[in-house]
Amino acid sequence: MPALILLAERSRALHAAKTAARARRDIPQAKVHVLPGTTHHSLPSAAPEELNTRLLNFLH
């Protein structure tokens, strides 16, 4: 099943790089991206173009 995992680079809830590596290992079919410069709460507003592009590409 396709999966998209978008992570905030500066999240304080988890370590984005470690989580991305774990996701790539455990869910090899998933598309995993770390959005640079974002926090958990700023993810939708800090990088809206990249976020929207990744979401639309995944859904198409």
Side-chain angles (χ1 to χ4, degrees), residues 36-48:
T38 58
T39 66
H40 175 79
H41 292 287
S42 75
L43 191 61
S45 60

Side-chain angles (χ1 to χ4, degrees), residues 1-21:
M1 171 176 279
L4 174 65
I5 301 171
L6 298 174
L7 301 161
E9 178 186 45
R10 295 184 180 167
S11 173
R12 291 192 296 172
L14 50 83
H15 190 282
K18 288 181 183 177
T19 303

